[in-house]
Amino acid sequence: ECMQGLVTPKTVRACPGLAGRCKLPNGANASNESFLMHGTNPTSAVAILRTDFKIDLAGASAGTMFGPGAYLAEASSKADEYSQDDKDGAYKGLYAIVVSRAVVGRSYVTERPGDYSAKVTSGDFDSILGDREKAVDTFREFIFFHEESIFPEYAVFYRREYTSAPAPAAPELERAASATFFERPQGPVQAIPGSRAQECQVVIPGCCVTGTQF
């Protein structure tokens, strides 16, 4: 039911270009660093790029099934479940996913909901892996309790375009998204289409956002 050790996120295999950036020059990745995704709204995505994740805000817009931490997914479909659109302003009608580089390290793996934060804050593990894929055939999530473990690097803004009419309530239905990628600059964040952004087409249902260039 519970195990320990290095668990490789599926993004490593699905996105080898990004996975390669997590390796040292000698090819090693002892800290099990990986790119993972966090669904949110565009305004919050810009704030995260500017100020990083804030663990003390955990649960403000979503649940905390495995403890009050930052929840990152290896599946874009899972991140999309948490994504919300801005109701007004420059990003009205757009949804957002923050693509982050995370030090996964050694994960405490569990299928059952509960507060497992002490497993990480004690230093015994580096992250929690909530394996709902094994438990109920949905998705796995990696939960972090140290802000220093996560570096938000990109924000993906997109629109949901349902492939069937009328728009369904079920999240399993494939959604196509027209997305814009914003890379985190060194200075103040200005998420404006054009500079350092790439237009692309993304399909949400698979393991990872694929066929894109970051």
Side-chain angles (χ1 to χ4, degrees):
E1 182 173 295
C2 297
M3 57 178 291
Q4 61 180 351
L6 294 175
V7 179
T8 303
K10 295 179 181 180
T11 49
V12 172
R13 181 176 180 181
C15 305
L18 290 179
R21 294 180 52 195
C22 297
K23 297 179 180 179
L24 296 173
N26 63 3
N29 185 10
S31 63
N32 197 20
E33 187 175 302
S34 303
F35 277 91
L36 297 168
M37 293 163 281
H38 176 81
T40 184
N41 61 70
T43 297
S44 295
V46 172
I48 290 172
L49 289 184
R50 182 183 293 116
T51 64
D52 297 323
F53 284 90
K54 300 299 180 184
I55 301 300
D56 57 354
L57 297 179
S61 60
T64 54
M65 181 178 289
F66 299 101
Y71 285 63
L72 276 68
E74 59 188 357
S76 57
S77 297
K78 183 60 180 179
D80 178 64
E81 288 182 8
Y82 293 117
S83 183
Q84 301 177 26
D85 61 331
D86 274 3
K87 304 305 180 184
D88 50 33
Y91 310 119
K92 182 179 180 180
L94 294 176
Y95 294 77
I97 290 176
V98 177
V99 182
S100 302
R101 191 187 303 222
V103 177
V104 179
R106 295 173 62 251
S107 298
Y108 180 84
V109 184
T110 180
E111 301 171 34
R112 294 185 176 183
D115 186 353
Y116 298 95
S117 57
K119 296 288 185 181
V120 174
T121 57
S122 66
D124 292 338
F125 296 89
D126 304 296
S127 61
I128 300 297
L129 172 55
D131 196 351
R132 302 300 287 170
E133 180 181 64
K134 184 177 180 180
V136 292
D137 197 28
T138 55
F139 301 99
R140 304 193 306 182
E141 289 185 277
F142 292 85
I143 303 94
F144 301 86
F145 299 91
H146 297 300
E147 297 172 3
E148 298 81 4
S149 297
I150 317 167
F151 179 75
E153 195 160 342
Y154 303 98
V156 183
F157 293 177
Y158 62 97
R159 296 185 189 277
R160 288 176 178 169
E161 298 177 1
Y162 292 90
T163 56
S164 297
E172 297 84 9
L173 188 71
E174 178 176 307
R175 285 176 283 213
S178 176
T180 300
F181 292 83
F182 298 104
E183 183 176 359
R184 175 177 179 157
Q186 296 302 313
V189 172
Q190 295 183 351
I192 301 175
S195 175
R196 311 185 76 173
Q198 301 179 34
E199 299 289 342
C200 63
Q201 292 293 318
V202 179
V203 175
I204 297 293
C207 167
C208 177
V209 177
T210 58
T212 60
Q213 295 294 322
F214 287 87

